[in-house]
């Protein structure tokens, strides 16, 4: 019997011991539980925003949490493929009333501890050995893979229902009872909505490999699986899973548009898969922040060159765990009990193989896939829908679980040969060894999570307006700490207005292109990298007026600066420019500067000629390669049939002269320039393969105008691009 009063007391004790271990391992987190978060950077802030957004969407906006226009305003964001754990948001709502960090940290600790407890229950069911089962829970809960994912990936912190699903799925096969179909379905739904879709895919693969193993190698279980009763129970499990999860599955299915899937596929390309997969060496190298190995001269450099990604490629098994797993194989073979460990060895092999990604490497990131041994993931990559699982290294969760079970068997087999208190001594020694080896990620990185008071005041201001907080574009190369990426999401939980820009683990180019329409967003991004405000753009004009026009177009009421995201010199430049454009800031603190836009917009917008690009103009410098690039090509902005320029003209400036430099790639062609209509040809010019200067007069209508530049697609550089243009100016006459 899995549950009962005696069992509940046993499980409570195990839970408390794991909780005590977690408290000892994460002292900084425990002492700042309501004001700091475990981890750093955008994923942590996104995790807290996810918890808040689910409740805000369902209970305040009365809408699905799978789409929002509160971020990346006005285009919004489809959150189906994001790392949202909707049910976790609802369950933590009472804790959010204390603070979002409190809710987040509680979810992290509970996820770690319950992962240990439920693995303990699974391992005890399989082995009947309490000490070995405790070690199994310790391995799964505190493995480096689990802890590093907890530094930002809340959906992979709460993995507790993975072992519970496995337990009930085994019982469903062996006993073929309706209640186990129900329990398995509940576990699956909880994994998907307290974790995410990737967890659901992982469980489906685990179930698939279990069935395959039994069908191939276990006669008695094969008979159970092929029975009519199991078919009925299995169908019941599938139906119950969909029915119980329908509040989430139905809006998910409705929101999976072709554009979403195509974007996911680009994010799940082979290069991405390689980036987020393990190497063979990553299973055997303790992470370099382990106090023992990290103190060795040169080990940090060696480790970083041996793995692909310092977070997603963490796969260290631990030599204590490896010893116990190998012992289970050795003794099971000697005792002729291989059937007991067979399924877990089978699963371990396949999930290790999957986690190595499309191409198997000993270490490092390959410069070419030529000569590399293809991995199982190369086949998996081509399975529709399932290939949204773009990080092969996360298959390690199944790997660690299977190795934990093997370790429990290994300890059981070894301890059976010991007498007296030697079993207890061996148990204590392995507990200590495992914790020392897994200590690598037990030094938590804690980020203070305090929202400036001004954002609470902004919430109270009536009217519909949006917010822009700089930096608004993700910058992974800035010298400034990247831990401030995404903090604007956390601030939004206070001001609750639409945010121009934002942060998402799976941002697409459309969202970023909208943000890039506002020059100050790009200027602030360049500032972080170059130390100067720069806006590479084919149109030359007063960017202050373009900024104000775009801020008005996006209905931006306030512009904020995250001070710590810039060094002192860069911050001074940025704040001074905003002061010259918007006037005095309305709020300043040691973390935030906020400017209001209303007066500057009122006094300027609609009184000046403003022009901006429309469509996918591509800067030449982004196309340059070591083989083909020169200054002319690099300075051009490239387009094809057709690209546009939006022009706003006030009533007193409708007659303008447009000057520009243009060329055609690899030959000659003509360009038709149309104004506001396909019937209104302003001028046709001949383009050569060399840059030439052109001029034309335009009679604009007051307000917005659209200029279309049209060329035939006879010769192209790449992606259909064929003409380049730069140095565009508009002057009234």
């Amino acid at each position: 019997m899995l549950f009962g009063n005696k069992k509940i007391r046993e499980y409570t004790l195990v839970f408390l011991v794991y909780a005590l271990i977690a408290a000892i391992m994460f002292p900084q987190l425990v002492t700042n539980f309501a004001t700091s978060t475990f981890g750093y950077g955008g994923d942590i802030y996104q995790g807290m925003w996810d918890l808040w957004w689910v409740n805000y969407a369902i209970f305040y906006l009365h809408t699905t949490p799978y789409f929002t226009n509160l971020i990346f305003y006005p285009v919004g964001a489809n959150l189906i493929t994001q790392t949202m754990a909707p049910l976790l948001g609802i369950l933590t709502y009472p804790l959010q009333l204390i603070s979002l960090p409190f809710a987040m940290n509680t979810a992290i600790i509970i996820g770690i501890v319950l992962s240990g407890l439920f693995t303990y229950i699974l391992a005890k069911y399989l082995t009947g050995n309490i000490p070995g089962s405790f070690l199994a829970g310790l391995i799964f809960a505190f493995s480096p893979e689990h802890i590093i994912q907890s530094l930002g990936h809340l959906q992979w912190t709460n993995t507790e229902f993975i072992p519970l699903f496995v337990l009930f799925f085994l019982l469903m096969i062996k006993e073929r009872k309706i209640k186990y179909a129900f329990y398995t379905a509940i576990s699956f739904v909880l994994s998907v909505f307290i974790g995410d879709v990737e967890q659901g895919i992982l469980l489906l693969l685990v179930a698939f490999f279990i069935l395959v193993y039994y069908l191939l190698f276990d006669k008695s279980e094969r008979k159970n699986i092929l029975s009519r009763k199991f078919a009925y129970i299995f169908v019941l499990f599938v139906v119950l899973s969909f029915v119980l999860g329908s509040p989430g599955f139905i809006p998910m299915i409705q929101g999976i548009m072709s554009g979403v899937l195509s974007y996911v596929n680009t994010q799940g390309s082979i290069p991405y898969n390689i980036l987020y997969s393990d190497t063979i060496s990553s299973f055997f190298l303790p992470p370099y922040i382990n106090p023992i190995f990290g103190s060795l001269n040169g080990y940090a450099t060696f480790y970083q060159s041996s793995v692909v990604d310092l977070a997603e490629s963490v796969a260290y098994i631990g030599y204590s765990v490896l010893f116990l797993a190998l012992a289970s194989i050795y003794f099971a073979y000697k005792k002729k009990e291989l059937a007991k460990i067979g399924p877990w060895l089978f699963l371990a092999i396949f999930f290790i193989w999957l986690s190595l990604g499309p191409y198997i490497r000993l270490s490092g990131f390959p410069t070419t896939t030529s000569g590399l041994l293809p991995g199982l993931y190369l086949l998996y990559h081509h399975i529709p829908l399932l290939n949204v699982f773009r990080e092969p290294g996360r298959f390690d969760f199944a790997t660690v679980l299977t190795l934990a079970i093997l370790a429990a068997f290994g300890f059981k087999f070894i301890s059976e040969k010991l007498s007296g208190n030697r079993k207890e001594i061996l148990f204590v020694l392995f507990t200590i060894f495992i914790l020392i080896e897994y200590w690598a990620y037990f030094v938590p990185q804690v980020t203070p999570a305090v929202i400036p008071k001004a954002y609470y005041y902004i919430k109270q201001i009536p009217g519909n307006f949006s917010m822009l907080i700089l930096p608004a574009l993700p910058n992974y190369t800035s010298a400034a700490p990247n831990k401030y990426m995404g903090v604007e999401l956390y601030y939004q939980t206070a001001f609750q207005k639409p945010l121009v820009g934002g942060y998402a683990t799976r941002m697409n180019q459309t969202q970023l292109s909208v943000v890039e329409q506002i020059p100050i967003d790009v200027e602030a991004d360049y500032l972080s990298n170059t130390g100067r405000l720069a806006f590479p753009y084919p149109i030359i004009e007063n960017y202050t007026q373009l900024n104000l026009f775009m801020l008005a177009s996006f209905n931006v009421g306030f512009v904020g600066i995250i001070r710590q995201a810039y060094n002192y010199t860069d911050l001074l430049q940025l704040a001074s420019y905003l002061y010259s454009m918007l006037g005095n800031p309305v709020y300043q603190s040691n973390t935030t500067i906020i400017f209001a836009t209303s007066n500057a917009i009122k006094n300027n917008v609609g009184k000046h000629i403003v022009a901006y690009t429309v469509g996918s103009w591509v800067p030449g410098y982004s196309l340059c390669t070591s083989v083909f690039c020169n200054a002319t090509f690099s300075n051009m902005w490239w387009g094809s049939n057709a690209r546009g320029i939006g022009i706003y003209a006030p009533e007193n400036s409708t007659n303008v002269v447009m000057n520009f430099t243009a060329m055609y790639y690899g030959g000659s062609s003509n360009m038709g320039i149309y104004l506001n209509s396909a019937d209104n040809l302003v001028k046709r010019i001949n383009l050569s393969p060399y840059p030439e200067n052109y001029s034309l007069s335009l009679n604009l209508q007051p307000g917005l105008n659209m200029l279309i530049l049209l060329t035939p697609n006879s010769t192209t550089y790449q992606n259909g691009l064929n003409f380049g243009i730069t140095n565009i100016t508009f002057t009234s006459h």
Side-chain angles (χ1 to χ4, degrees):
M1 185 175 181
L2 290 173
F3 300 97
N5 291 336
K6 186 176 180 180
K7 292 292 184 182
I8 296 300
R9 288 194 294 270
E10 175 189 337
Y11 298 157
T12 301
L13 178 60
V14 172
F15 177 91
L16 292 174
V17 174
Y18 287 146
L20 178 62
I21 293 172
I24 294 172
M25 293 300 177
F26 313 133
Q28 290 173 275
L29 182 64
V30 173
T31 54
N32 300 279
F33 208 74
T35 57
S36 297
T37 58
F38 187 39
Y40 65 93
D43 288 353
I44 277 292
Y45 293 121
Q46 180 183 246
M48 289 192 290
W49 184 87
D50 285 342
L51 295 178
W52 167 81
W53 162 247
V54 168
N55 296 290
Y56 188 76
I58 294 175
F59 301 119
Y60 182 76
L61 299 178
H62 307 295
T63 187
T64 172
Y66 289 107
F67 180 84
T68 179
N69 61 6
L70 276 189
I71 61 175
F72 296 105
Y73 177 83
V75 298
N78 191 312
L79 303 178
I80 289 173
T81 59
Q82 296 297 334
T83 55
M84 185 171 57
L87 189 54
L88 196 59
I90 296 173
L91 293 174
T92 60
Y93 177 72
L95 304 176
Q96 294 176 39
L97 300 177
I98 300 174
S99 74
L100 275 170
F102 185 87
M104 179 88 161
N105 295 335
T106 302
I108 290 172
I109 294 298
I110 293 296
I112 291 172
V113 174
L114 284 182
S115 293
L117 174 62
F118 292 158
T119 303
Y120 168 85
I121 296 173
L122 170 62
K124 190 182 176 190
Y125 165 75
L126 294 170
T127 68
N129 185 275
I130 291 178
S133 300
F134 181 88
L135 293 177
L138 193 71
I139 293 164
F140 187 67
F142 295 95
S143 68
E145 169 75 17
H146 194 193
I147 300 305
I148 193 60
Q149 289 292 338
S150 299
L151 297 175
H153 297 153
L154 187 59
Q155 79 282 11
W156 281 106
T157 306
N158 292 86
T159 58
E160 58 266 37
F161 295 104
I162 294 177
L164 209 57
F165 170 88
V166 174
L167 172 63
F168 291 133
F169 189 72
L170 291 175
L171 288 168
M172 192 174 82
I173 293 173
K174 294 179 182 298
E175 301 193 21
R176 293 172 292 172
K177 292 182 178 179
I178 292 176
K179 67 176 182 179
Y180 291 125
F182 182 71
Y183 296 155
T184 307
I186 291 176
S187 301
F188 179 78
V189 171
L190 289 175
S191 284
V192 172
F193 296 109
I194 286 183
D196 69 354
V197 174
E198 287 187 350
Q199 268 200 51
I201 293 172
L202 181 73
L203 293 184
L204 292 177
L205 289 173
V206 169
F208 171 77
F209 283 123
I210 289 174
L211 291 175
V212 169
Y213 175 83
Y214 283 149
L215 288 172
L216 292 177
F217 303 111
D218 193 310
K219 292 182 180 179
S220 62
E221 298 301 350
R222 182 193 309 153
K223 185 178 179 181
N224 285 340
I225 292 171
L226 296 177
S227 68
R228 183 176 298 178
K229 187 173 183 180
F230 178 76
Y232 166 76
I233 295 295
F234 186 82
V235 170
L236 183 61
F237 152 67
V238 173
V239 172
L240 284 171
S241 295
F242 185 80
V243 171
L244 294 172
S246 58
F249 288 135
I250 291 174
M252 256 189 203
I253 294 170
Q254 292 172 337
I256 297 180
M257 300 172 293
S258 59
V260 174
L261 292 178
S262 64
Y263 172 67
V264 168
N265 289 335
T266 62
Q267 288 284 289
S269 62
I270 293 296
Y272 265 102
N273 296 153
I274 294 174
L275 178 62
Y276 297 133
S277 59
D278 296 332
T279 62
I280 293 174
S281 61
S282 63
F283 289 103
F284 302 97
L285 293 176
Y288 68 91
I289 59 173
N290 181 292
I292 300 171
F293 286 88
S295 62
L296 299 177
N297 187 33
Y299 183 76
T301 302
F302 170 73
Y303 179 80
Q304 292 183 56
S305 65
S306 300
V307 300
V308 181
D309 183 278
L310 290 179
E312 296 294 348
S313 297
V314 170
Y316 180 57
I317 297 172
Y319 291 98
S320 303
V321 177
L322 190 59
F323 174 83
L324 288 173
L326 292 174
S328 71
I329 300 171
Y330 173 76
F331 285 110
Y333 175 77
K334 287 194 68 177
K335 295 164 66 71
K336 297 182 179 180
E337 295 181 357
L338 282 173
K340 291 184 177 180
I341 68 163
W344 317 110
L345 183 59
F346 185 78
L347 264 66
I349 291 170
F350 275 97
F351 281 106
I352 288 173
W353 194 2
L354 279 170
S355 68
L356 289 170
Y359 294 94
I360 298 173
R361 291 114 43 231
L362 178 62
S363 65
F365 191 88
T367 56
T368 176
T369 57
S370 177
L372 293 177
L373 183 66
L376 182 61
Y377 195 91
L378 193 61
L379 176 63
Y380 175 86
H381 170 83
H382 295 288
I383 303 175
L385 297 180
L386 296 187
N387 58 10
V388 300
F389 205 122
R390 65 172 182 169
E391 302 90 352
R394 294 184 184 177
F395 283 119
D396 285 333
F397 280 95
T399 302
V400 173
L401 180 62
T402 56
L403 291 174
I405 294 171
L406 289 174
F409 274 110
F411 184 87
K412 175 187 178 182
F413 292 149
I414 294 172
S415 62
E416 286 174 346
K417 297 183 175 298
L418 301 177
S419 59
N421 61 356
R422 291 182 179 180
K423 294 181 181 180
E424 289 77 10
I425 294 173
L426 185 68
F427 168 71
V428 172
L429 287 175
F430 270 109
T431 300
I432 294 172
F433 289 155
I434 291 169
L435 290 177
I436 289 175
E437 286 197 274
Y438 284 2
W439 190 13
Y441 285 101
F442 288 174
V443 181
Q445 302 177 60
V446 175
T447 298
V450 179
I451 299 177
K453 293 181 180 179
Y455 290 117
Y456 292 101
Y457 299 146
I458 289 173
K459 177 186 176 183
Q460 306 303 321
I461 298 175
N464 297 317
F465 58 87
S466 65
M467 290 285 305
L468 172 65
I469 299 177
L470 302 173
L473 290 168
N475 191 326
Y476 299 95
T477 60
S478 169
N482 65 8
K483 65 182 179 180
Y484 296 104
M485 286 171 53
V487 70
E488 65 272 20
L489 289 185
Y490 181 50
Y491 292 168
Q492 189 185 50
T493 65
F495 62 75
Q496 298 179 9
K497 305 286 186 181
L499 183 65
V500 177
Y503 177 90
T505 52
R506 287 163 175 81
M507 287 178 284
N508 62 49
Q509 190 54 49
T510 300
Q511 294 166 327
L512 294 179
S513 296
V514 170
V515 180
E516 290 167 352
Q517 296 270 343
I518 305 177
I520 190 60
D521 294 344
V522 181
E523 291 175 301
D525 184 58
Y526 270 73
L527 182 67
S528 299
N529 292 298
T530 66
R532 60 190 180 91
L533 287 166
F535 184 45
Y537 205 54
I539 303 174
I540 301 172
E541 61 179 304
N542 183 334
Y543 293 132
T544 293
Q545 296 304 326
L546 181 57
N547 266 315
L548 290 171
F549 181 84
M550 288 299 179
L551 290 174
S553 300
F554 285 78
N555 198 25
V556 175
F558 294 90
V559 177
I561 303 176
I562 302 169
R563 298 181 70 131
Q564 291 89 342
Y566 301 93
N567 63 41
Y568 177 78
T569 304
D570 293 349
L571 178 64
L572 185 61
Q573 285 190 72
L574 182 58
S576 297
Y577 177 71
L578 288 177
Y579 167 76
S580 69
M581 181 171 64
L582 301 174
N584 290 320
V586 295
Y587 177 85
Q588 292 191 71
S589 70
N590 61 351
T591 60
T592 300
I593 305 174
I594 298 178
F595 297 84
T597 66
S598 56
N599 288 337
I601 288 174
K602 179 180 178 181
N603 295 331
N604 289 275
V605 174
K607 301 178 182 179
H608 305 272
I609 295 175
V610 174
Y612 54 93
T613 59
V614 177
S616 301
W617 295 77
V618 182
Y621 59 79
S622 71
L623 299 174
C624 286
T625 67
S626 58
V627 177
F628 177 78
C629 187
N630 56 52
T632 299
F633 185 89
S634 176
N635 291 330
M636 289 286 174
W637 286 66
W638 293 87
S640 65
N641 183 17
R643 294 295 186 267
I645 297 176
I647 310 169
Y648 178 87
E651 290 187 2
N652 60 350
S653 300
T654 56
N655 297 319
V656 303
V657 175
M658 174 184 176
N659 294 291
F660 59 96
T661 302
M663 64 178 287
Y664 195 77
Y665 173 75
S668 301
S669 186
N670 63 72
M671 172 187 285
I673 302 177
Y674 300 81
L675 180 62
N676 292 327
S677 169
D679 299 324
N680 186 17
L681 176 65
V682 177
K683 191 173 184 178
R684 189 174 297 279
I685 62 176
N686 293 317
L687 298 178
S688 74
Y690 307 101
E692 296 183 19
N693 297 324
Y694 301 90
S695 179
L696 69 151
S697 296
L698 299 172
N699 293 315
L700 306 175
Q701 63 185 23
L704 287 175
N705 297 262
M706 183 60 64
L707 199 67
I708 302 298
L709 311 179
L710 192 64
T711 61
N713 279 324
S714 56
T715 304
T716 63
Y717 164 62
Q718 63 178 30
N719 299 325
L721 304 175
N722 56 24
F723 74 86
I725 191 168
T726 191
N727 298 329
I728 306 169
T729 62
F730 295 91
T731 55
S732 60
H733 69 92

